[in-house]
Amino acid sequence: MNILKGLLTFILAMSLSNCSYELDKTTVPKNLIPKDSFTLILYDVMLLESYYKVNDLDFHSFQLNVQEGIQPIFDKHQIDSARFAESMDYYSKKQEILMEIYNTIQDSLTLQSAPYELE
């Protein structure tokens, strides 16, 4: 349940930090990760971040651990950090799409945690 709370906090922070008057001027990157694939990648990244946040690491340790842990995720999905960053930047400027991605992730986490909440 702590992971879910951490993810919801992250989603709220991302939603509030991406307001800009230039959102409509966003160009699509040539190597944009498709929405469905990006959702799966972001799901894995958010789980990784939540794991380290739950362990109450200081900020420096958190950054180091996430940097080390994120590479296997990129390898799994056959992308690099530049492609992920460009896609994240694009989707963060397309807030409706990003909210759909976050809602999909939240729904997946809710479905996964449902059996544990019943016990």
Side-chain angles (χ1 to χ4, degrees), residues 29-95:
K30 291 179 183 175
N31 61 351
L32 178 69
I33 300 169
K35 179 182 159 190
D36 292 343
S37 298
F38 189 76
T39 301
L40 296 173
I41 296 165
L42 191 58
Y43 176 90
D44 289 346
V45 169
M46 291 175 75
L47 282 179
L48 174 72
E49 289 177 342
S50 295
Y51 172 79
Y52 289 117
K53 285 179 184 177
V54 166
N55 288 317
D56 295 322
L57 297 174
D58 63 82
F59 183 73
H60 180 70
S61 297
F62 172 79
Q63 282 185 314
L64 290 175
N65 285 317
V66 169
Q67 286 175 359
E68 290 175 10
I70 206 164
Q71 190 56 51
I73 294 171
F74 291 163
D75 293 343
K76 172 185 171 184
H77 295 282
Q78 300 176 343
I79 63 165
D80 59 24
S81 60
R83 186 169 181 208
F84 177 80
E86 288 177 10
S87 296
M88 186 67 193
D89 184 55
Y90 172 79
Y91 288 120
S92 67
K93 292 176 181 169
K94 298 293 185 183
Q95 294 179 358

Side-chain angles (χ1 to χ4, degrees), residues 2-18 38-39 41-51 53 59 62 66 70 84 88-89 92 98-99 101-103 105-106 109:
N2 285 334
I3 291 176
L4 188 57
K5 287 179 185 177
L7 285 174
L8 293 176
T9 302
F10 177 78
I11 290 169
L12 179 62
M14 288 297 298
S15 298
L16 295 176
S17 68
N18 291 317
F38 189 76
T39 301
I41 296 165
L42 191 58
Y43 176 90
D44 289 346
V45 169
M46 291 175 75
L47 282 179
L48 174 72
E49 289 177 342
S50 295
Y51 172 79
K53 285 179 184 177
F59 183 73
F62 172 79
V66 169
I70 206 164
F84 177 80
M88 186 67 193
D89 184 55
S92 67
L98 188 61
M99 288 309 296
I101 291 170
Y102 284 140
N103 287 336
I105 293 170
Q106 183 177 358
L109 289 170

